[in-house]
Amino acid sequence: MPTFQMPRSICCLAALLPALLLAGCGSRFPTAPVSGVVRLEGEPLAEARIAFEPLAPADSLEAGPGSYATTDSQGRYTLETLDGRPGAVIGRHRVSISTAITPPRGPGGEDLPATREKVPQRYRGAGTELEWEVTEEGTDSANFELEGGRD
């Protein structure tokens, strides 16, 4: 009885298929490294929380996980996604920056004074005017120069 031999290229593809499928997991929303500096009135903004919220493309309802970081004493930050990957999802993002901290509770459960917000409203929350385009190459220059003044 003749034996059937599968062509070598098909054998290789069959052996690699599980690895290729696993490599694709988590890349549904590919990311790129993002870091930079935040300044307010020309001075580094320390202990600010920065959030990148991906905006869904016109042909999709999903945008992927957001990214966040806290600036150091020199205003530098490096993003990490909410699902623990370094960087941010590739594409357009709404960027929010804030220094306020939710008031801690005292030993008796009472609210302690909140940290004073230094960042003008136009740079915070859903109404922020800040946006950033994350490219496949990523960047270490996602810098934000914030100005004070009236909102």
Side-chain angles (χ1 to χ4, degrees):
M1 177 183 247
T3 59
F4 175 75
Q5 282 205 317
M6 203 177 296
R8 183 177 212 124
S9 60
I10 293 176
C11 289
C12 290
L13 181 59
L16 289 175
L17 189 58
L20 292 172
L21 290 173
L22 285 175
C25 293
S27 63
R28 180 171 169 212
F29 298 106
T31 61
V34 177
S35 61
V37 176
V38 178
R39 290 188 177 84
L40 177 62
E41 297 292 335
E43 297 295 321
L45 187 59
E47 298 301 314
R49 265 101 18 240
I50 184 165
F52 276 49
E53 177 189 344
L55 302 172
D59 62 347
S60 175
L61 295 176
E62 295 183 85
S67 297
Y68 66 94
T70 300
T71 59
D72 66 13
S73 62
Q74 299 302 309
R76 293 183 301 242
Y77 71 92
T78 300
L79 291 177
E80 179 178 307
T81 64
L82 292 173
D83 60 5
R85 294 180 287 159
V89 170
I90 295 168
R92 195 97 188 130
H93 292 255
R94 179 179 301 125
V95 179
S96 177
I97 302 172
S98 175
T99 58
I101 297 175
T102 304
R105 301 277 180 183
E110 71 279 5
D111 286 339
L112 297 176
T115 305
R116 184 178 154 273
E117 179 63 72
K118 298 175 186 173
V119 177
Q121 180 63 46
R122 66 182 177 273
Y123 304 124
R124 294 184 273 130
T128 181
E129 63 187 44
L130 300 174
E131 288 192 358
W132 190 269
E133 181 78 27
V134 175
T135 62
E136 290 180 17
E137 301 80 32
T139 184
D140 61 0
S141 300
N143 302 328
F144 295 93
E145 300 289 336
L146 311 180
E147 296 177 9
R150 299 184 59 111
D151 285 319

